[in-house]
Every structure is written in C-alpha cells, then in structure tokens.
Amino acid sequence: MINGESKIARLRWGMIGGGRTGQVGYKHRTGALRDGTYQLVCGAFDLDVERGREFGVNIGVASDRCYADYKELIAKETARPDGVEVVSIATPNFTHFEITKAFLEAGLHVICEKPLFFTVAECEEVRKIAEAKGLIVGVTYGFTGHPLVEQMAMMVKKGMLGDIRIVDLQYTHGFNAGDDTNASEAQKWRTNPKTSGPTFVLGDIGTHLYYLSEVVLPHLKIDKLLCDRKAFIPTREPLEDHATVLMHYDNGARGHLWVSSVDAGNMRSHRYRFVGSKASLEWTDSFPNQLSYEVQGEPVKILHHGMPYLEDETNAIDRMGALHTEGLGDSWANIYLWIAQAIDAKKRGDEAFLKTHRYPGIEAGTEGVRWLENCVRSADAGAVWVDFK
Ligand code: NAI
C-alpha cells in the first residue's frame, strides 16, 4: 500500500501549459504533488503571459520563476544551480514534439501528454535523443494507475481467463454532439488537423483505450486492423468525431473499439471487456473500484479494490484501502510516482530496474502514435484492412 513515504530524492518540477483555463493541468498537479516526490518550482503555464504568472503565483510558484514561454524557462532554469530537473508538457498536441525536443536537448527529463506526437518518425527521433542524453520521457496515460487495472493484468498473466479471444473497448461521450459554433479553445484546436494532428477522437480518447489494453494484454500484438472514421459535424473533416476499429491479434483474438464525441447523452466514460476461453473481466472508469470477474457457468463476482483476495501487486499500489473510494487522482499519483522512480533509476544508472519497471514511457507513447498511423492509413483508404506496421 502506498502511504506517501518517498524513498527517492524530491524532483524539481516545472509545467508547460496547464494554466488557469487548461483542462488537464490540475490532474498533473494532483498526481505529481501527492507524495512529495515532485516539487513545483517553475512554469510557463499559459499563452497569456500575465495570466500565467498570476496563476503560477496563486499555486505557490515564485513570480520570477513563472516564465513567458518554455524557451525563457530553459534559458533561466538551466543557469541556476537549483534549476528544474523535469517538466510536464500539458499543451495542445501540435506543440508536444518541439517542446519535448527542446527540453531533452537542454538535459531535462520530460513528462508529456498524449497523443505524444504526430508521427512515429518524430517519436523515434525523440527516443534517440533521450537515450543519448540518458533521460526519461514519461507519457500521462492517467487511467492506468488504478489498482484494478493491475489486477486485470495479473489475472490475465496467471491464465485465469484462459486464452484471450475478444477485446472490447469503448470510450464515448456526447460533448461534441453539437456543432462548433461556440467552440471552446480546447475544442477548436482538437478539431483542426494543424493543431490536433492526423486525428481527433482516435488520438484524444482512443489512445487511452489502446494503452490500457496493452497494459492488460502485453503478450498480444495486432496483426491487422480496419478503421472506419467519420465526422458527423462536417466542419471537423478531415478529422473524425466518431470511429470504429476492428483488430485481429496475433493469437487469433478479435478486438473492436469505438470512440466518439457525438454519443449524445452518454456519461459512462470508458469501458473495457476482456473475454477469454474460461472467463471475462469488465472494468469501467466510472466505477474504478470494482472489477467484474465472470467465470462461465458461475455467478458473477465483483472484486473490490483494497481487498486481501486481490494480487499482492494490486494491493501494493492501493492508496486508500478497502471501503474507501479511490479515484482518478490516485491513478495519476501512481503514474507520476512510477515516472519519478524511472527518473531516479536513470540517474543512478540502474538499467536492470528500468527493464522491468512498468510506467508509460516513450515506448508507450510511440505505440499509441503507431496505432493512430495505422488507423488513419486504413480509414483514409476507405476503411480497409491494413497490416499493422
Ligand atoms: P487546453 O486547451 O484546455 O489547455 C491548454 C493549456 O496550455 C492552456 O493553459 C494554454 O494557455 C496553454 N498553452 C498552449 N500553448 C502553450 C505554450 N506554447 N506554452 C505554454 N502554455 C501553452 O488543452 P487540454 O485539454 O488541457 O489538453 C492539453 C493536452 O493534454 C493535449 O495534448 C490533450 O490531448 C491532453 N489531455 C490529456 C488528458 C489525459 O487524461 N491524459 C486529458 C485532457 C487532455
């Protein structure tokens, strides 16, 4: 069980974006600041410089360390003996590559939002820089720190489901069911290929589904996929506000995934069902403290977080204990802790630890972008089957 005791040196941490109006910034701070593993020392929080400075001061950052932009932050912080060591990038997608590269080149670790970049080639370029510099790139797939996600992975690993046959993934909501006439800033950049990248909902929410399925089923690889995407609001073309993806895995399993931001009225967030030859698991982010374990021919079992019947690995990352609700902030805290542990191991040169340590890093970010590239290749050829590459 995690109780906030930190066994690694506190990291000096900064943020790019995630300011007063940013949607995701507080999730980063909730995760990073939970265990005292990170200390927020600086930031370039906002495109609006004065608003960003005022915001930074209000959350406890010294005014002279709230910078106008990431370039000033790099210049000033790398000149300080107590300068920042790691930054989180919580800005729109089109800025991720440029900002990540600049920080790595300046010798700083990076934690970046998903979808990581626009292309696999960019991911590979960044991976080389990070390797050459001995730096970590973390990616905030924030839902995969829930203990019951670990439980699903352990149950699959122990063969409790039998052979995996069906992978059923859904992340849909209706927040973009209307047109974009009065779109927020966050909606405007998401529906423009110049700022969002080659996808809208596939990258925005589909990458969460894909990464979580990789965590639970690390032994399964996609052989081929078919993606059908559509913009129900035509001004969003060539991007999609809705997509369906069929996947064939290398063990013969079949996967289907749908993502949508026009699923009017749906407030159920995301849902995962993994079906094996003996049993199935179903978990949803709406009720993250419960996992449905369904053995063919037996009554359904609902497993609860924090209980002694769960795997040791599951309870090792529990924070609140049974009966007490855990939520997204706890999941993000685990993600940030795992990334801090990776940074600490990198600093100590402990490559053996890094080989077995689970955290969403550059590989996870790259695989998400690779999946998107394959989806777009299929969809734009008319929703045809393509070999996954
Ligand atoms: P947003 O549009 O709500 O906020 C962006 C923030 O970044 C604003 O504060 C803006 O002023 C600032 N900003 C933009 N460009 C900047 C720059 N060059 N330098 C400094 N600040 C800059 O966007 P939102 O929804 O917060 O998304 C940001 C990123 O987070 C996206 O990549 C998105 O895909 C990802 N995201 C991830 C989530 C997750 O669960 N991991 C959830 C929501 C978003």
Side-chain angles (χ1 to χ4, degrees), residues 174-181 183 187 190-193 199-201 229-242 261-262:
F175 286 101
N176 305 122
D179 68 22
D180 292 335
T181 312
Q187 191 170 333
R190 277 176 166 81
T191 51
N192 177 348
T199 65
F200 170 22
V201 286
R229 65 172 177 165
K230 177 176 172 70
F232 279 98
I233 305 299
T235 53
R236 295 175 188 154
E237 287 172 357
L239 304 186
E240 76 293 339
D241 50 30
H242 175 90
S261 66
V262 296

PDB file of all heavy atoms in Angstrom, residues 174-181 183 187 190-193 199-201 229-242 261-262:
ATOM      1  N   GLY A 174     -20.749  12.589 -25.410  1.00  0.00           N
ATOM      2  CA  GLY A 174     -21.515  13.386 -26.371  1.00  0.00           C
ATOM      3  C   GLY A 174     -21.195  14.867 -26.350  1.00  0.00           C
ATOM      4  O   GLY A 174     -21.973  15.678 -26.866  1.00  0.00           O
ATOM      5  N   PHE A 175     -20.025  15.211 -25.779  1.00  0.00           N
ATOM      6  CA  PHE A 175     -19.752  16.639 -25.573  1.00  0.00           C
ATOM      7  C   PHE A 175     -19.535  17.431 -26.864  1.00  0.00           C
ATOM      8  O   PHE A 175     -19.539  18.658 -26.837  1.00  0.00           O
ATOM      9  CB  PHE A 175     -18.577  16.828 -24.608  1.00  0.00           C
ATOM     10  CG  PHE A 175     -18.974  16.524 -23.185  1.00  0.00           C
ATOM     11  CD1 PHE A 175     -18.641  15.323 -22.592  1.00  0.00           C
ATOM     12  CD2 PHE A 175     -19.743  17.427 -22.471  1.00  0.00           C
ATOM     13  CE1 PHE A 175     -19.043  15.032 -21.302  1.00  0.00           C
ATOM     14  CE2 PHE A 175     -20.158  17.152 -21.174  1.00  0.00           C
ATOM     15  CZ  PHE A 175     -19.814  15.942 -20.579  1.00  0.00           C
ATOM     16  N   ASN A 176     -19.344  16.745 -27.979  1.00  0.00           N
ATOM     17  CA  ASN A 176     -19.217  17.452 -29.253  1.00  0.00           C
ATOM     18  C   ASN A 176     -20.365  17.085 -30.196  1.00  0.00           C
ATOM     19  O   ASN A 176     -20.226  17.153 -31.417  1.00  0.00           O
ATOM     20  CB  ASN A 176     -17.864  17.137 -29.914  1.00  0.00           C
ATOM     21  CG  ASN A 176     -16.696  17.440 -28.992  1.00  0.00           C
ATOM     22  OD1 ASN A 176     -15.898  16.567 -28.681  1.00  0.00           O
ATOM     23  ND2 ASN A 176     -16.613  18.674 -28.527  1.00  0.00           N
ATOM     24  N   ALA A 177     -21.494  16.690 -29.621  1.00  0.00           N
ATOM     25  CA  ALA A 177     -22.634  16.304 -30.457  1.00  0.00           C
ATOM     26  C   ALA A 177     -23.179  17.492 -31.251  1.00  0.00           C
ATOM     27  O   ALA A 177     -23.685  17.333 -32.361  1.00  0.00           O
ATOM     28  CB  ALA A 177     -23.743  15.697 -29.588  1.00  0.00           C
ATOM     29  N   GLY A 178     -23.054  18.691 -30.677  1.00  0.00           N
ATOM     30  CA  GLY A 178     -23.481  19.889 -31.413  1.00  0.00           C
ATOM     31  C   GLY A 178     -22.361  20.396 -32.315  1.00  0.00           C
ATOM     32  O   GLY A 178     -21.242  19.867 -32.288  1.00  0.00           O
ATOM     33  N   ASP A 179     -22.656  21.420 -33.089  1.00  0.00           N
ATOM     34  CA  ASP A 179     -21.608  21.935 -33.983  1.00  0.00           C
ATOM     35  C   ASP A 179     -20.637  22.824 -33.197  1.00  0.00           C
ATOM     36  O   ASP A 179     -20.771  22.998 -31.987  1.00  0.00           O
ATOM     37  CB  ASP A 179     -22.218  22.657 -35.185  1.00  0.00           C
ATOM     38  CG  ASP A 179     -22.917  23.950 -34.786  1.00  0.00           C
ATOM     39  OD1 ASP A 179     -22.601  24.513 -33.718  1.00  0.00           O
ATOM     40  OD2 ASP A 179     -23.801  24.401 -35.541  1.00  0.00           O
ATOM     41  N   ASP A 180     -19.650  23.365 -33.925  1.00  0.00           N
ATOM     42  CA  ASP A 180     -18.562  24.071 -33.245  1.00  0.00           C
ATOM     43  C   ASP A 180     -18.748  25.590 -33.226  1.00  0.00           C
ATOM     44  O   ASP A 180     -17.784  26.327 -33.027  1.00  0.00           O
ATOM     45  CB  ASP A 180     -17.224  23.714 -33.919  1.00  0.00           C
ATOM     46  CG  ASP A 180     -16.860  22.259 -33.671  1.00  0.00           C
ATOM     47  OD1 ASP A 180     -17.321  21.703 -32.660  1.00  0.00           O
ATOM     48  OD2 ASP A 180     -16.109  21.681 -34.492  1.00  0.00           O
ATOM     49  N   THR A 181     -19.989  26.057 -33.422  1.00  0.00           N
ATOM     50  CA  THR A 181     -20.215  27.499 -33.494  1.00  0.00           C
ATOM     51  C   THR A 181     -19.656  28.229 -32.273  1.00  0.00           C
ATOM     52  O   THR A 181     -18.981  29.239 -32.400  1.00  0.00           O
ATOM     53  CB  THR A 181     -21.738  27.797 -33.607  1.00  0.00           C
ATOM     54  OG1 THR A 181     -22.270  26.953 -34.605  1.00  0.00           O
ATOM     55  CG2 THR A 181     -21.975  29.250 -33.967  1.00  0.00           C
ATOM     56  N   ALA A 183     -17.482  26.934 -30.045  1.00  0.00           N
ATOM     57  CA  ALA A 183     -16.481  26.004 -29.509  1.00  0.00           C
ATOM     58  C   ALA A 183     -15.517  26.699 -28.558  1.00  0.00           C
ATOM     59  O   ALA A 183     -15.108  27.845 -28.767  1.00  0.00           O
ATOM     60  CB  ALA A 183     -15.706  25.374 -30.665  1.00  0.00           C
ATOM     61  N   GLN A 187     -11.693  22.888 -27.755  1.00  0.00           N
ATOM     62  CA  GLN A 187     -12.403  22.175 -28.818  1.00  0.00           C
ATOM     63  C   GLN A 187     -11.889  22.633 -30.191  1.00  0.00           C
ATOM     64  O   GLN A 187     -11.755  21.828 -31.108  1.00  0.00           O
ATOM     65  CB  GLN A 187     -13.901  22.429 -28.688  1.00  0.00           C
ATOM     66  CG  GLN A 187     -14.752  21.523 -29.568  1.00  0.00           C
ATOM     67  CD  GLN A 187     -16.222  21.635 -29.224  1.00  0.00           C
ATOM     68  OE1 GLN A 187     -16.566  21.965 -28.085  1.00  0.00           O
ATOM     69  NE2 GLN A 187     -17.089  21.384 -30.182  1.00  0.00           N
ATOM     70  N   ARG A 190      -8.622  20.947 -31.070  1.00  0.00           N
ATOM     71  CA  ARG A 190      -8.797  19.494 -31.242  1.00  0.00           C
ATOM     72  C   ARG A 190      -9.393  19.127 -32.601  1.00  0.00           C
ATOM     73  O   ARG A 190      -9.241  18.006 -33.070  1.00  0.00           O
ATOM     74  CB  ARG A 190      -9.707  18.936 -30.142  1.00  0.00           C
ATOM     75  CG  ARG A 190      -8.977  18.648 -28.839  1.00  0.00           C
ATOM     76  CD  ARG A 190      -9.965  18.183 -27.776  1.00  0.00           C
ATOM     77  NE  ARG A 190      -9.317  17.595 -26.623  1.00  0.00           N
ATOM     78  CZ  ARG A 190      -8.774  18.285 -25.625  1.00  0.00           C
ATOM     79  NH1 ARG A 190      -8.777  19.590 -25.648  1.00  0.00           N
ATOM     80  NH2 ARG A 190      -8.203  17.665 -24.613  1.00  0.00           N
ATOM     81  N   THR A 191     -10.126  20.052 -33.232  1.00  0.00           N
ATOM     82  CA  THR A 191     -10.806  19.720 -34.486  1.00  0.00           C
ATOM     83  C   THR A 191     -10.084  20.270 -35.708  1.00  0.00           C
ATOM     84  O   THR A 191     -10.617  20.221 -36.811  1.00  0.00           O
ATOM     85  CB  THR A 191     -12.262  20.254 -34.443  1.00  0.00           C
ATOM     86  OG1 THR A 191     -12.232  21.633 -34.070  1.00  0.00           O
ATOM     87  CG2 THR A 191     -13.093  19.476 -33.446  1.00  0.00           C
ATOM     88  N   ASN A 192      -8.876  20.770 -35.503  1.00  0.00           N
ATOM     89  CA  ASN A 192      -8.089  21.310 -36.615  1.00  0.00           C
ATOM     90  C   ASN A 192      -6.838  20.439 -36.791  1.00  0.00           C
ATOM     91  O   ASN A 192      -6.056  20.295 -35.854  1.00  0.00           O
ATOM     92  CB  ASN A 192      -7.693  22.752 -36.253  1.00  0.00           C
ATOM     93  CG  ASN A 192      -6.816  23.393 -37.317  1.00  0.00           C
ATOM     94  OD1 ASN A 192      -6.319  22.717 -38.220  1.00  0.00           O
ATOM     95  ND2 ASN A 192      -6.627  24.697 -37.200  1.00  0.00           N
ATOM     96  N   PRO A 193      -6.655  19.849 -37.973  1.00  0.00           N
ATOM     97  CA  PRO A 193      -5.511  18.933 -38.141  1.00  0.00           C
ATOM     98  C   PRO A 193      -4.149  19.591 -37.901  1.00  0.00           C
ATOM     99  O   PRO A 193      -3.196  18.918 -37.509  1.00  0.00           O
ATOM    100  CB  PRO A 193      -5.640  18.434 -39.588  1.00  0.00           C
ATOM    101  CG  PRO A 193      -6.694  19.250 -40.225  1.00  0.00           C
ATOM    102  CD  PRO A 193      -7.496  19.928 -39.171  1.00  0.00           C
ATOM    103  N   THR A 199      -5.591  13.019 -36.233  1.00  0.00           N
ATOM    104  CA  THR A 199      -6.859  12.503 -35.711  1.00  0.00           C
ATOM    105  C   THR A 199      -7.450  13.463 -34.688  1.00  0.00           C
ATOM    106  O   THR A 199      -6.754  14.294 -34.117  1.00  0.00           O
ATOM    107  CB  THR A 199      -6.656  11.145 -34.988  1.00  0.00           C
ATOM    108  OG1 THR A 199      -5.835  11.364 -33.839  1.00  0.00           O
ATOM    109  CG2 THR A 199      -6.028  10.096 -35.887  1.00  0.00           C
ATOM    110  N   PHE A 200      -8.751  13.288 -34.426  1.00  0.00           N
ATOM    111  CA  PHE A 200      -9.394  13.974 -33.291  1.00  0.00           C
ATOM    112  C   PHE A 200      -9.657  12.932 -32.200  1.00  0.00           C
ATOM    113  O   PHE A 200      -8.796  12.670 -31.359  1.00  0.00           O
ATOM    114  CB  PHE A 200     -10.665  14.695 -33.763  1.00  0.00           C
ATOM    115  CG  PHE A 200     -11.563  15.248 -32.675  1.00  0.00           C
ATOM    116  CD1 PHE A 200     -11.085  15.516 -31.397  1.00  0.00           C
ATOM    117  CD2 PHE A 200     -12.914  15.504 -32.929  1.00  0.00           C
ATOM    118  CE1 PHE A 200     -11.928  16.015 -30.393  1.00  0.00           C
ATOM    119  CE2 PHE A 200     -13.763  16.001 -31.929  1.00  0.00           C
ATOM    120  CZ  PHE A 200     -13.263  16.246 -30.665  1.00  0.00           C
ATOM    121  N   VAL A 201     -10.829  12.246 -32.230  1.00  0.00           N
ATOM    122  CA  VAL A 201     -11.162  11.373 -31.087  1.00  0.00           C
ATOM    123  C   VAL A 201     -10.267  10.141 -30.982  1.00  0.00           C
ATOM    124  O   VAL A 201     -10.044   9.631 -29.884  1.00  0.00           O
ATOM    125  CB  VAL A 201     -12.651  10.930 -31.082  1.00  0.00           C
ATOM    126  CG1 VAL A 201     -13.538  12.079 -30.673  1.00  0.00           C
ATOM    127  CG2 VAL A 201     -13.073  10.343 -32.410  1.00  0.00           C
ATOM    128  N   ARG A 229     -13.751   5.906 -39.942  1.00  0.00           N
ATOM    129  CA  ARG A 229     -13.932   7.137 -39.167  1.00  0.00           C
ATOM    130  C   ARG A 229     -14.836   8.114 -39.900  1.00  0.00           C
ATOM    131  O   ARG A 229     -14.887   8.110 -41.131  1.00  0.00           O
ATOM    132  CB  ARG A 229     -12.594   7.787 -38.797  1.00  0.00           C
ATOM    133  CG  ARG A 229     -11.753   8.301 -39.951  1.00  0.00           C
ATOM    134  CD  ARG A 229     -10.574   9.078 -39.375  1.00  0.00           C
ATOM    135  NE  ARG A 229      -9.647   9.564 -40.385  1.00  0.00           N
ATOM    136  CZ  ARG A 229      -8.735  10.496 -40.148  1.00  0.00           C
ATOM    137  NH1 ARG A 229      -8.610  11.032 -38.951  1.00  0.00           N
ATOM    138  NH2 ARG A 229      -7.916  10.889 -41.105  1.00  0.00           N
ATOM    139  N   LYS A 230     -15.502   8.949 -39.125  1.00  0.00           N
ATOM    140  CA  LYS A 230     -16.468   9.873 -39.725  1.00  0.00           C
ATOM    141  C   LYS A 230     -16.556  11.138 -38.886  1.00  0.00           C
ATOM    142  O   LYS A 230     -16.432  11.084 -37.653  1.00  0.00           O
ATOM    143  CB  LYS A 230     -17.845   9.190 -39.747  1.00  0.00           C
ATOM    144  CG  LYS A 230     -18.969  10.077 -40.277  1.00  0.00           C
ATOM    145  CD  LYS A 230     -20.284   9.316 -40.357  1.00  0.00           C
ATOM    146  CE  LYS A 230     -21.453  10.249 -40.690  1.00  0.00           C
ATOM    147  NZ  LYS A 230     -21.423  10.760 -42.054  1.00  0.00           N
ATOM    148  N   ALA A 231     -16.782  12.256 -39.572  1.00  0.00           N
ATOM    149  CA  ALA A 231     -17.100  13.497 -38.872  1.00  0.00           C
ATOM    150  C   ALA A 231     -18.594  13.740 -39.039  1.00  0.00           C
ATOM    151  O   ALA A 231     -19.058  14.070 -40.136  1.00  0.00           O
ATOM    152  CB  ALA A 231     -16.308  14.661 -39.451  1.00  0.00           C
ATOM    153  N   PHE A 232     -19.353  13.541 -37.963  1.00  0.00           N
ATOM    154  CA  PHE A 232     -20.795  13.835 -38.056  1.00  0.00           C
ATOM    155  C   PHE A 232     -21.021  15.339 -38.189  1.00  0.00           C
ATOM    156  O   PHE A 232     -22.021  15.768 -38.741  1.00  0.00           O
ATOM    157  CB  PHE A 232     -21.528  13.263 -36.841  1.00  0.00           C
ATOM    158  CG  PHE A 232     -21.812  11.797 -36.991  1.00  0.00           C
ATOM    159  CD1 PHE A 232     -20.979  10.849 -36.416  1.00  0.00           C
ATOM    160  CD2 PHE A 232     -22.892  11.354 -37.742  1.00  0.00           C
ATOM    161  CE1 PHE A 232     -21.226   9.498 -36.576  1.00  0.00           C
ATOM    162  CE2 PHE A 232     -23.149   9.998 -37.907  1.00  0.00           C
ATOM    163  CZ  PHE A 232     -22.315   9.067 -37.321  1.00  0.00           C
ATOM    164  N   ILE A 233     -20.079  16.129 -37.667  1.00  0.00           N
ATOM    165  CA  ILE A 233     -20.125  17.577 -37.883  1.00  0.00           C
ATOM    166  C   ILE A 233     -19.111  17.860 -38.997  1.00  0.00           C
ATOM    167  O   ILE A 233     -17.891  17.768 -38.772  1.00  0.00           O
ATOM    168  CB  ILE A 233     -19.750  18.341 -36.586  1.00  0.00           C
ATOM    169  CG1 ILE A 233     -20.644  17.896 -35.409  1.00  0.00           C
ATOM    170  CG2 ILE A 233     -19.828  19.850 -36.820  1.00  0.00           C
ATOM    171  CD1 ILE A 233     -22.132  18.137 -35.569  1.00  0.00           C
ATOM    172  N   PRO A 234     -19.591  18.166 -40.218  1.00  0.00           N
ATOM    173  CA  PRO A 234     -18.709  18.198 -41.389  1.00  0.00           C
ATOM    174  C   PRO A 234     -17.536  19.176 -41.278  1.00  0.00           C
ATOM    175  O   PRO A 234     -16.483  18.941 -41.881  1.00  0.00           O
ATOM    176  CB  PRO A 234     -19.646  18.602 -42.532  1.00  0.00           C
ATOM    177  CG  PRO A 234     -21.017  18.251 -42.051  1.00  0.00           C
ATOM    178  CD  PRO A 234     -21.005  18.389 -40.571  1.00  0.00           C
ATOM    179  N   THR A 235     -17.689  20.260 -40.490  1.00  0.00           N
ATOM    180  CA  THR A 235     -16.579  21.214 -40.389  1.00  0.00           C
ATOM    181  C   THR A 235     -15.349  20.587 -39.727  1.00  0.00           C
ATOM    182  O   THR A 235     -14.272  21.158 -39.757  1.00  0.00           O
ATOM    183  CB  THR A 235     -16.990  22.453 -39.563  1.00  0.00           C
ATOM    184  OG1 THR A 235     -17.510  21.993 -38.314  1.00  0.00           O
ATOM    185  CG2 THR A 235     -18.032  23.285 -40.292  1.00  0.00           C
ATOM    186  N   ARG A 236     -15.510  19.428 -39.123  1.00  0.00           N
ATOM    187  CA  ARG A 236     -14.361  18.769 -38.467  1.00  0.00           C
ATOM    188  C   ARG A 236     -13.542  17.927 -39.442  1.00  0.00           C
ATOM    189  O   ARG A 236     -12.484  17.411 -39.069  1.00  0.00           O
ATOM    190  CB  ARG A 236     -14.855  17.884 -37.314  1.00  0.00           C
ATOM    191  CG  ARG A 236     -15.479  18.716 -36.215  1.00  0.00           C
ATOM    192  CD  ARG A 236     -16.087  17.869 -35.110  1.00  0.00           C
ATOM    193  NE  ARG A 236     -16.811  18.764 -34.212  1.00  0.00           N
ATOM    194  CZ  ARG A 236     -17.834  18.415 -33.445  1.00  0.00           C
ATOM    195  NH1 ARG A 236     -18.259  17.165 -33.443  1.00  0.00           N
ATOM    196  NH2 ARG A 236     -18.409  19.309 -32.673  1.00  0.00           N
ATOM    197  N   GLU A 237     -14.054  17.729 -40.650  1.00  0.00           N
ATOM    198  CA  GLU A 237     -13.287  16.957 -41.629  1.00  0.00           C
ATOM    199  C   GLU A 237     -11.985  17.670 -41.947  1.00  0.00           C
ATOM    200  O   GLU A 237     -11.954  18.906 -41.924  1.00  0.00           O
ATOM    201  CB  GLU A 237     -14.115  16.769 -42.910  1.00  0.00           C
ATOM    202  CG  GLU A 237     -15.242  15.777 -42.715  1.00  0.00           C
ATOM    203  CD  GLU A 237     -16.188  15.734 -43.910  1.00  0.00           C
ATOM    204  OE1 GLU A 237     -15.999  16.523 -44.864  1.00  0.00           O
ATOM    205  OE2 GLU A 237     -17.126  14.937 -43.856  1.00  0.00           O
ATOM    206  N   PRO A 238     -10.886  16.980 -42.222  1.00  0.00           N
ATOM    207  CA  PRO A 238     -10.786  15.533 -42.439  1.00  0.00           C
ATOM    208  C   PRO A 238     -10.668  14.734 -41.140  1.00  0.00           C
ATOM    209  O   PRO A 238     -10.479  13.517 -41.193  1.00  0.00           O
ATOM    210  CB  PRO A 238      -9.493  15.405 -43.248  1.00  0.00           C
ATOM    211  CG  PRO A 238      -8.640  16.524 -42.721  1.00  0.00           C
ATOM    212  CD  PRO A 238      -9.587  17.648 -42.429  1.00  0.00           C
ATOM    213  N   LEU A 239     -10.766  15.394 -39.987  1.00  0.00           N
ATOM    214  CA  LEU A 239     -10.691  14.650 -38.728  1.00  0.00           C
ATOM    215  C   LEU A 239     -12.050  14.021 -38.409  1.00  0.00           C
ATOM    216  O   LEU A 239     -13.060  14.364 -39.029  1.00  0.00           O
ATOM    217  CB  LEU A 239     -10.234  15.568 -37.595  1.00  0.00           C
ATOM    218  CG  LEU A 239      -8.896  16.275 -37.846  1.00  0.00           C
ATOM    219  CD1 LEU A 239      -8.457  17.033 -36.598  1.00  0.00           C
ATOM    220  CD2 LEU A 239      -7.816  15.292 -38.271  1.00  0.00           C
ATOM    221  N   GLU A 240     -12.049  13.144 -37.423  1.00  0.00           N
ATOM    222  CA  GLU A 240     -13.248  12.378 -37.082  1.00  0.00           C
ATOM    223  C   GLU A 240     -13.748  12.752 -35.691  1.00  0.00           C
ATOM    224  O   GLU A 240     -12.965  13.058 -34.805  1.00  0.00           O
ATOM    225  CB  GLU A 240     -12.940  10.865 -37.145  1.00  0.00           C
ATOM    226  CG  GLU A 240     -12.134  10.304 -35.963  1.00  0.00           C
ATOM    227  CD  GLU A 240     -10.702  10.807 -35.863  1.00  0.00           C
ATOM    228  OE1 GLU A 240     -10.165  11.279 -36.880  1.00  0.00           O
ATOM    229  OE2 GLU A 240     -10.112  10.750 -34.762  1.00  0.00           O
ATOM    230  N   ASP A 241     -15.089  12.725 -35.552  1.00  0.00           N
ATOM    231  CA  ASP A 241     -15.628  12.830 -34.196  1.00  0.00           C
ATOM    232  C   ASP A 241     -16.211  11.492 -33.752  1.00  0.00           C
ATOM    233  O   ASP A 241     -16.843  11.389 -32.697  1.00  0.00           O
ATOM    234  CB  ASP A 241     -16.655  13.967 -34.070  1.00  0.00           C
ATOM    235  CG  ASP A 241     -17.723  13.945 -35.149  1.00  0.00           C
ATOM    236  OD1 ASP A 241     -18.041  12.837 -35.632  1.00  0.00           O
ATOM    237  OD2 ASP A 241     -18.250  15.023 -35.514  1.00  0.00           O
ATOM    238  N   HIS A 242     -15.984  10.464 -34.574  1.00  0.00           N
ATOM    239  CA  HIS A 242     -16.520   9.133 -34.292  1.00  0.00           C
ATOM    240  C   HIS A 242     -15.683   8.124 -35.080  1.00  0.00           C
ATOM    241  O   HIS A 242     -15.334   8.383 -36.238  1.00  0.00           O
ATOM    242  CB  HIS A 242     -17.984   9.079 -34.748  1.00  0.00           C
ATOM    243  CG  HIS A 242     -18.591   7.731 -34.606  1.00  0.00           C
ATOM    244  ND1 HIS A 242     -19.234   7.319 -33.467  1.00  0.00           N
ATOM    245  CD2 HIS A 242     -18.636   6.670 -35.460  1.00  0.00           C
ATOM    246  CE1 HIS A 242     -19.658   6.076 -33.624  1.00  0.00           C
ATOM    247  NE2 HIS A 242     -19.308   5.664 -34.827  1.00  0.00           N
ATOM    248  N   SER A 261     -17.199  11.367 -29.839  1.00  0.00           N
ATOM    249  CA  SER A 261     -17.539  12.523 -29.000  1.00  0.00           C
ATOM    250  C   SER A 261     -18.913  13.051 -29.393  1.00  0.00           C
ATOM    251  O   SER A 261     -19.292  14.150 -29.029  1.00  0.00           O
ATOM    252  CB  SER A 261     -16.472  13.615 -29.130  1.00  0.00           C
ATOM    253  OG  SER A 261     -16.474  14.151 -30.432  1.00  0.00           O
ATOM    254  N   VAL A 262     -19.659  12.211 -30.151  1.00  0.00           N
ATOM    255  CA  VAL A 262     -21.027  12.585 -30.520  1.00  0.00           C
ATOM    256  C   VAL A 262     -22.023  11.548 -30.012  1.00  0.00           C
ATOM    257  O   VAL A 262     -23.130  11.445 -30.544  1.00  0.00           O
ATOM    258  CB  VAL A 262     -21.161  12.787 -32.056  1.00  0.00           C
ATOM    259  CG1 VAL A 262     -20.305  13.959 -32.524  1.00  0.00           C
ATOM    260  CG2 VAL A 262     -20.803  11.521 -32.830  1.00  0.00           C
TER     261      VAL A 262
END
